[in-house]
């Protein structure tokens, strides 16, 4: 076996795949003793998806040698749909095999679903993106943390009015603005403390930043909201926007999206 892994909660991987599947068609899962990683551009090469699912997120994890498992994201989503809310998931891949096998087991062990997914050869483009556990704070002039459900609602609401959204952050707050044929509107979130960290809004502003992004991508990124109560946004002048979700908690890893800003023609 080159890879044997067990996730106590299959639902974690399911949420990750649901968040990726509108952006990426086929991806390589790069496996090493550190866990699973994905780096993939979306089909239009505007957005980058980066996943790190650490070995510590698994109940058991064994990877004998680094290997790449190419999978169709849609097919993977269909397999994970078979897993119930409390099912555990086993992943297995043999050396040089052309399939990866999935086994969903219900909490009571009375239902086991097996599925073999055909692996694909995917040309992987190597992308240089900022790595590391934490955001390189100096790289982003603004780092905002806000409830992921609120970010999702703002993106969905504003998408009805226009195609691009301006994100503007100052020490006073972060403002999301859209201008469309019927008019213009904006939502401003001011920093706020809360008993639950996932209800708080916090802003670290080294200098004010304003940038414009295509809303349809942001709506897609926001679909990852079920992964984590908070989302972290990294903004810099002329830098890609970073949208980052921890996989329930930072120790499990994260799902990150990068989006190039729209430059005014």
């Amino acid at each position: 076996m080159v890879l044997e892994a067990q996730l106590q909660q299959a639902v974690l991987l399911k949420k990750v795949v649901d968040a990726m599947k509108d952006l990426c068609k086929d991806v390589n899962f790069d496996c090493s003793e550190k866990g699973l990683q994905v780096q993939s551009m979306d089909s239009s090469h505007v957005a980058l998806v980066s996943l790190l699912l650490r070995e510590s997120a698994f109940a058991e994890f064994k990877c004998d040698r680094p290997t790449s498992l190419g999978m169709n994201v849609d097919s993977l989503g269909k397999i994970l749909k078979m897993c119930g809310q409390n099912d555990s998931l086993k992943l297995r891949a043999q050396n040089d095999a052309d399939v990866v096998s999935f086994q969903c087991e219900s909490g009571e062990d009375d239902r086991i679903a097996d599925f073999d997914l055909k692996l694909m050869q995917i040309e992987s483009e190597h992308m240089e993106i900022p790595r590391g556990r934490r955001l390189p704070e100096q790289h982003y002039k603004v780092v905002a943390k806000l409830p992921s459900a609120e970010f999702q609602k703002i993106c969905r609401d504003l998408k009805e009015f226009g195609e691009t959204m301006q994100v503007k952050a100052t020490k006073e707050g972060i403002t999301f603005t859209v201008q469309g044929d019927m008019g213009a509107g904006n939502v401003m979130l001011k920093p706020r403390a809360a008993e639950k960290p996932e209800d708080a809004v916090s802003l670290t502003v080294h200098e004010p930043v304003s940038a414009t992004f295509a809303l349809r991508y942001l709506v897609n990124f926001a679909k990852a909201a079920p992964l984590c109560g908070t989302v972290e946004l990294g903004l810099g002048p002329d830098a890609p926007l970073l949208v980052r979700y921890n996989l329930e908690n930072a120790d499990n890893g994260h799902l990150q999206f990068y989006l190039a800003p729209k430059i005014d023609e």
Side-chain angles (χ1 to χ4, degrees), residues 4-15 17 29 36 53 57-61 71 76 79-92 100-107 109 111-115:
E4 276 190 276
Q6 182 180 359
L7 266 181
Q8 214 48 60
Q9 297 285 330
V11 107
L12 181 62
L13 188 58
K14 186 173 179 225
K15 287 175 186 168
V17 170
F29 282 82
L36 302 181
L53 185 53
F58 294 86
E60 292 167 32
F61 190 87
M71 297 183 224
L76 183 54
I79 293 172
L80 295 171
K81 235 187 201 143
M82 305 197 314
C83 299
Q85 201 55 36
N86 300 312
D87 290 9
S88 65
L89 176 70
K90 282 188 181 134
L91 298 171
R92 287 196 195 90
V100 58
S101 58
F102 293 85
Q103 188 178 69
C104 295
E105 211 169 291
S106 69
D109 297 343
R111 189 180 70 97
I112 296 177
D114 279 298
F115 201 91

Side-chain angles (χ1 to χ4, degrees), residues 46-48 128-130 135-143 165 167 207-214 218 221 233-243 257-263:
V46 176
L48 173 70
E128 285 308 318
I129 56 164
L135 295 181
E137 302 284 340
Q138 74 289 345
H139 181 76
Y140 291 102
K141 296 299 179 202
V142 172
V143 175
M165 177 163 82
V167 183
E207 66 179 61
V209 172
S210 171
T212 304
F213 302 98
L218 297 176
F221 299 172
L233 307 178
L235 287 157
D238 309 321
L241 168 74
L242 167 70
V243 179
F257 302 97
Y258 294 85
L259 181 62
K262 287 186 97 65
I263 310 300

Side-chain angles (χ1 to χ4, degrees), residues 94-148:
Q94 306 268 12
N95 286 338
D96 305 325
D98 51 3
V99 297
V100 58
S101 58
F102 293 85
Q103 188 178 69
C104 295
E105 211 169 291
S106 69
E108 291 74 45
D109 297 343
D110 51 11
R111 189 180 70 97
I112 296 177
D114 279 298
F115 201 91
D116 285 348
L117 177 65
K118 288 196 174 103
L119 289 172
M120 310 166 69
Q121 288 297 323
I122 302 167
E123 281 302 307
S124 68
E125 325 155 69
H126 191 71
M127 281 119 353
E128 285 308 318
I129 56 164
R131 284 196 180 275
R133 288 183 64 120
R134 298 302 310 138
L135 295 181
E137 302 284 340
Q138 74 289 345
H139 181 76
Y140 291 102
K141 296 299 179 202
V142 172
V143 175
K145 287 183 190 162
L146 55 146
S148 46

Side-chain angles (χ1 to χ4, degrees), residues 38-74:
V38 170
Q39 277 184 32
S40 176
M41 297 291 288
D42 76 301
S43 51
S44 57
H45 280 70
V46 176
L48 173 70
V49 180
S50 171
L51 167 72
L52 171 61
L53 185 53
R54 287 203 177 87
E55 107 359 270
S56 53
F58 294 86
E60 292 167 32
F61 190 87
K62 199 162 135 259
C63 180
D64 297 339
R65 59 185 171 81
T67 184
S68 265
L69 305 172
M71 297 183 224
N72 174 278
V73 182
D74 239 7

